[in-house]
Amino acid sequence: MDVTTWYLEQTDPSALRPAGSVPTPVTRAEVVSPELNRFLYTSVGGDWYWIDRLGWTWRQWLDRLDRPGVETWVAMVQGTPAGYVELDGGVPDGEVELAYFGLLPAFVGKGLGGHLLTEGIRRAWGLADRWPGHAPTRRVWVHTCSTDGPAALANYRARGMRLYRTEQVTVELPAVPPGPWPGAGRG
């Protein structure tokens, strides 16, 4: 399958164009939890070929998440996780990657994506305030691709992220995405 990957960035917090406010709290998961992040990863990415972490062990998840500057922010609707942003500021050089971002299927199309992305970018710009020893954020970046949700690229651009690189590669992917229940399926 031919996959196009777009790399986007902001180099100044004033570039953020917030989406309309939605009364949905976005809370940091301060206790490192491989179980929570694996749930979010498979639930959000199952329909979009997020497969790179499916084979990870619990220890691999813990090692990834338990690094200074790595944060998980969760949007909640009526006590239910609706989506998340995983920030990777694990290298204290002032760069923060929006490593993963998205909504659970039940919350897509309800106006939450722009709000969650706005809040995720804001949290990325303020990451050094929460991690002593980290340089102030000088760049927030993300990549998305043609197998991600159809609104992803437009949402990043609408929030003021600037395209700086595009790549096209041919990759081997499963015939269908794994879905949010890898293995046994939803049936």
Side-chain angles (χ1 to χ4, degrees), residues 61-152:
W61 279 95
L62 181 64
D63 290 348
R64 165 71 181 178
L65 300 170
D66 196 22
R67 294 180 303 137
V70 174
E71 299 179 341
T72 301
W73 291 85
V74 183
M76 302 293 284
V77 173
Q78 298 178 341
T80 303
Y84 83 118
V85 177
E86 182 183 305
L87 301 179
D88 186 355
V91 181
D93 66 355
E95 290 204 6
V96 179
E97 178 186 7
L98 301 175
Y100 288 92
F101 160 77
L103 300 171
L104 278 76
F107 298 96
V108 172
K110 300 189 183 306
L112 297 174
H115 169 69
L116 177 57
L117 183 55
T118 296
E119 294 305 310
I121 293 171
R122 280 186 179 141
R123 293 341 192 263
W125 282 112
L127 189 123
D129 297 337
R130 296 181 300 278
W131 293 97
H134 272 62
T137 303
R138 62 179 176 76
R139 178 176 181 249
V140 177
W141 70 278
V142 67
H143 72 273
T144 188
C145 68
S146 54
T147 63
D148 274 341

Side-chain angles (χ1 to χ4, degrees), residues 1-6 45-51 144-150 152 171 173 177:
M1 173 185 287
D2 289 333
V3 175
T4 302
T5 302
W6 299 278
D47 291 333
W48 312 116
Y49 289 101
W50 289 12
I51 57 176
T144 188
C145 68
S146 54
T147 63
D148 274 341
V171 297
L173 293 172

